[in-house]
Amino acid sequence: DLIGGQFSKDSTQQCKLSVEILNTLLDADYTLYAMPMVAHPKAYINDDMNKAMNDWKRRPLHSIEADCMYLRQEMEKLFPNDEYHMGYWTDILAVAPGVDFSK
């Protein structure tokens, strides 16, 4: 999650600040792009985890909050690790309105 999971273990609040920040960018007509999922360096990345992390169809990209909760909760459930929590995240590329990359 964008802001360290809000430093919260409360699942109802884990994505609140991140969603607010990203919605502010959307309201200002920025275009947001989800980047690939990454895992904490302590994660034991096996084939199943690697497949899950690279399967874009699994991620609920229709909603900022849903994607955040997927990263914060679903991936933790699928691949639990006692050594760390908050082990999955993504960066977001925000492109300002009017930016033309074709030039």
Side-chain angles (χ1 to χ4, degrees), residues 31-99:
T31 302
L32 303 181
Y33 297 94
M35 304 304 285
M37 187 186 319
V38 292
H40 191 280
K42 288 188 177 180
Y44 172 72
I45 300 178
N46 59 30
D47 287 340
D48 289 337
M49 184 187 297
N50 202 23
K51 285 178 191 174
M53 288 174 51
N54 291 304
D55 185 355
W56 286 83
K57 292 178 183 179
R58 293 176 71 121
R59 288 181 59 188
L61 297 173
H62 65 280
S63 161
I64 295 168
E65 184 172 16
D67 190 41
C68 178
M69 294 305 288
Y70 175 77
L71 295 170
R72 293 284 298 135
Q73 292 183 344
E74 294 305 313
M75 287 299 290
E76 293 282 343
K77 288 178 189 173
L78 288 171
F79 305 102
N81 188 321
D82 291 335
E83 292 188 35
Y84 71 91
H85 300 284
M86 238 184 63
Y88 305 92
W89 63 89
T90 186
D91 291 323
I92 302 291
L93 173 64
V95 179
V99 172

